[in-house]
Amino acid sequence: MATYDLVVIGTGPGGYVCAVRASQLGMKVAVVEKNATLGGTCLNVGCMPSKALLHASEMFEEAAHSFAKMGVSVSTPKLDLPAMMNFKQQGIDGNVKGVEFLMKKNKIDVLKGTGKILGTGKVEVSADGKSQVVETKNIVIATGSDIARLKGIEIDEKRIVSSTGALSLEKVPQRMLVIGAGVIGLELGSVWRRLGSEVMVVEFLDRILPGMDGEIAKQFQRMLEKQGFAFKLGSKVTGVDACGKTLLAKIEPAAGGAAETIEADVVLVCIGRVPFTDGLGLKEAGVALDNRGRVQIDAHFSTNVKGVYAIGDVVAGPMLAHKAEDEGVAVAEILAGQSGHVNYDVIPGVVYTTPEVSSVGKTEEELKQAGQAYTVGKFPFTANGRSKVNQTTDGFVKILADAKTDRVLGVHIVGREAGEMIHEAVVLMEFGGSAEDLARSCHAHPTRSEAVKEAALAVGKRAIHM
Ligand code: FAD
Ligand code: NAI
């Protein structure tokens, strides 16, 4: 029987990163993966394929609408969807191979099959009707999440799709109905709108992107509407009739009232994700779940069963790849006797649309609710030189700082490249920096990041270019 220091179940960004860090720290490690390929949701049907399609569709739209005004004359671009899907697949393959390489390089055994916890120190791995049991000092559960389903709406991944089906449609739907104005709805809605679909988004709440700063979300919604998105907020889809050639979605006000019927060719259900624990044997092993079906852990990622830990989407917290990765590193370091730690107050979030939305720390709504006194500094990209010359002036930077100490509490950006710009705020906040610290840091000219510095200056009411 093989014996390990650590067996990690799941090879998404949480699991494979945990395994690499544990190996670096001298542990004998194995990973268990039930899918044919490594890399989890993120590499196979999540972050990476969606970003490949976002990039390719953005180029398509730019070629059609932005090149001419810069003096680049091209004939109307034609869509070759199979080639675009091939581009996406090449990106997936490259990244999956990268994880395989990392496993080899770090001498991590890859056990293909479904992992089941038999109790402290024992994992059964089953594939193709055969099973083996491995012994290990520690187990990390990194089994991720699955799509949340809507009662009465059956996903067939052809016409009624989850994000997985929406990443592989065989033709551009004329009308796409998106249920849920969260990250997936806006990212994948953007892909198909750019490729030619009429996109309508139905959202239960009275706003898009719940959890993001309200002012940013409101402005972002206007930008999306200008691009052609239609929104139906405060509404819910109560059923989809898939009998005919056209899908008939029944939509009702969230608060109740008369229903209307909307026709669509594809319906994308993206109302969140749920922790995935099927087949893990948690009940038999006595591993406790919380009231939302997530594996319950303490501050050191430990479950109630000795030697069993959990990280990533399967535990509480934002369902983000970088959060899962950081937890993977932290738990490996804890197992090695170090003080692994994740600062949950400083985890960035990015929506990879055009423009992008990024955020770290507290929103204005959260500060208000907490009764915290704060100052706001804002700077629009219309006043940023680089954005002006590139004619990409949509959006602004918003910095929230403690009214007394000037410590930065939250940074929110809507604008092109917002997902890259947010990281100077992340580092600043990790070091407990102030708006003054940011304002006095030299920023290269001409960059869009100068807008971040100007927003920091605006906290002290001394922005230069506004
Ligand atoms: P996962 O990546 O879900 O990996 C879990 C792995 O465990 C899977 O490979 C699964 O097969 C395996 N597994 C499960 N049970 C067993 C078992 N019993 N035995 C063996 N193997 C098992 N996040 C971002 O930060 N940025 C993004 O841009 C982004 N885009 C996304 C786009 C889409 C369309 C989706 C769906 C998600 C996106 N996410 C994004 C979220 C991100 O994918 C997840 O937060 C991340 O993958 C979670 O990592 P994880 O390691 O916890 O789990
Ligand atoms: P989400 O939680 O971001 O958004 C779901 C939306 O659906 C919410 O606005 C919610 O109010 C709405 N909703 C819920 N029930 C509804 C109903 N019955 N009718 C209408 N609207 C309803 O979830 P999403 O977009 O499915 O993404 C899942 C996870 O994947 C997220 O947690 C996200 O963090 C992660 N992800 C991250 C990305 C990124 O970081 N760029 C990209 C894509 C996904």
Side-chain angles (χ1 to χ4, degrees):
M1 192 188 288
T3 309
Y4 295 96
D5 294 312
L6 172 64
V7 170
V8 183
I9 308 179
T11 63
Y16 87 77
V17 168
C18 175
V20 170
R21 186 71 189 116
S23 168
Q24 285 175 344
L25 291 165
M27 288 177 234
K28 188 169 173 349
V29 185
V31 290
V32 185
E33 177 55 63
K34 69 179 172 52
N35 271 3
T37 52
L38 306 183
T41 304
C42 174
L43 270 62
N44 293 283
V45 288
C47 323
M48 304 321 271
S50 59
K51 265 78 254 178
L53 289 183
L54 278 158
H55 176 65
S57 61
E58 188 182 2
M59 293 300 106
F60 179 69
E61 185 160 77
E62 292 268 291
H65 300 293
S66 304
F67 280 14
K69 71 176 180 197
M70 291 186 274
V72 181
S73 174
V74 292
S75 50
T76 308
K78 284 200 194 86
L79 176 64
D80 181 348
L81 191 56
M84 197 177 276
M85 290 297 169
N86 192 36
F87 170 78
K88 176 200 75 174
Q89 193 56 44
Q90 284 171 359
I92 295 174
D93 295 345
N95 278 302
V96 164
K97 280 205 187 89
V99 176
E100 284 168 8
F101 163 78
L102 289 175
M103 297 299 103
K104 275 202 193 103
K105 184 184 165 209
N106 290 284
K107 302 190 171 48
I108 295 163
D109 287 346
V110 175
L111 311 175
K112 285 283 174 79
T114 300
K116 183 176 174 187
I117 297 171
L118 300 180
T120 299
K122 275 202 174 70
V123 177
E124 180 188 69
V125 183
S126 311
D128 307 325
K130 288 187 201 135
S131 66
Q132 59 166 322
V133 176
V134 291
E135 277 193 348
T136 175
K137 286 185 192 144
N138 296 294
I139 299 166
V140 169
I141 302 169
T143 50
S145 60
D146 193 10
I147 47 174
R149 287 157 208 279
L150 254 178
K151 222 174 139 198
I153 300 180
E154 200 160 320
I155 292 172
D156 60 18
E157 297 296 13
K158 292 273 175 227
R159 294 202 300 162
I160 303 181
V161 297
S162 71
S163 52
T164 303
L167 288 166
S168 294
L169 295 179
E170 282 168 11
K171 64 176 195 188
V172 180
Q174 198 192 327
R175 297 156 300 180
M176 176 179 259
L177 184 77
V178 176
I179 311 180
V183 202
I184 292 181
L186 301 183
E187 286 190 354
L188 295 183
S190 288
V191 166
W192 294 105
R193 185 204 55 72
R194 291 168 188 167
L195 300 182
S197 300
E198 289 164 28
V199 177
M200 170 176 281
V201 184
V202 180
E203 164 61 48
F204 189 78
L205 301 175
D206 59 0
R207 55 162 295 174
I208 67 168
L209 289 180
M212 287 265 186
D213 186 88
E215 185 184 11
I216 293 269
K218 208 174 217 169
Q219 289 233 13
F220 180 51
Q221 186 186 333
R222 281 197 209 121
M223 294 171 199
L224 291 175
E225 280 165 347
K226 261 206 236 156
Q227 293 172 10
F229 267 88
F231 288 98
K232 235 177 210 309
L233 303 181
S235 304
K236 57 183 179 191
V237 178
T238 52
V240 179
D241 178 349
C243 294
K245 241 181 115 190
T246 297
L247 298 172
L248 301 173
K250 207 166 147 205
I251 300 177
E252 284 175 24
E260 61 176 317
T261 301
I262 302 249
E263 295 188 354
D265 303 297
V266 165
V267 171
L268 165 58
V269 182
C270 44
I271 54 158
R273 292 180 64 84
V274 291
F276 184 81
T277 54
D278 292 2
L280 261 179
L282 295 187
K283 204 167 174 200
E284 300 88 321
V287 176
L289 302 180
D290 68 15
N291 58 357
R292 290 170 64 182
R294 303 173 294 201
V295 178
Q296 200 164 338
I297 50 168
D298 64 15
H300 301 288
F301 308 100
S302 178
T303 69
N304 60 318
V305 174
K306 195 169 174 286
V308 180
Y309 300 79
I311 56 167
D313 279 10
V314 80
V315 301
M319 288 183 166
L320 295 171
H322 41 284
K323 177 258 192 190
E325 285 186 41
D326 283 9
E327 289 181 339
V329 168
V331 75
E333 291 178 348
I334 288 169
L335 292 178
Q338 300 183 355
S339 38
H341 168 74
V342 176
N343 181 0
Y344 290 100
D345 290 335
V346 188
I347 294 184
V350 178
V351 189
Y352 296 87
T353 42
T354 304
E356 290 181 343
V357 183
S358 63
S359 164
V360 60
K362 301 279 184 239
T363 63
E364 198 165 350
E365 291 77 15
E366 284 171 334
L367 292 179
K368 273 189 188 141
Q369 206 179 5
Q372 162 102 47
Y374 61 92
T375 39
V376 188
K378 285 188 236 173
F379 192 82
F381 288 106
T382 44
N384 169 265
R386 183 69 180 278
S387 308
K388 271 192 196 158
V389 295
N390 288 355
Q391 297 189 17
T392 51
T393 51
D394 272 351
F396 65 105
V397 180
K398 174 173 177 178
I399 296 182
L400 301 162
D402 186 304
K404 245 201 210 142
T405 65
D406 195 40
R407 184 179 174 141
V408 172
L409 303 171
V411 177
H412 310 278
I413 310 176
V414 55
R416 283 201 184 222
E417 290 146 47
E420 299 293 337
M421 283 187 274
I422 198 69
H423 294 103
E424 64 170 305
V426 171
V427 175
L428 180 93
M429 288 173 69
E430 196 61 54
F431 282 86
S434 63
E436 176 84 12
D437 290 327
L438 189 48
R440 291 200 182 274
S441 304
C442 188
H443 283 61
H445 177 75
T447 56
R448 290 175 62 78
S449 296
E450 286 173 286
V452 179
K453 176 183 172 164
E454 290 271 11
L457 281 165
V459 171
K461 303 204 172 13
R462 56 196 169 93
I464 300 289
H465 292 90
M466 201 174 50

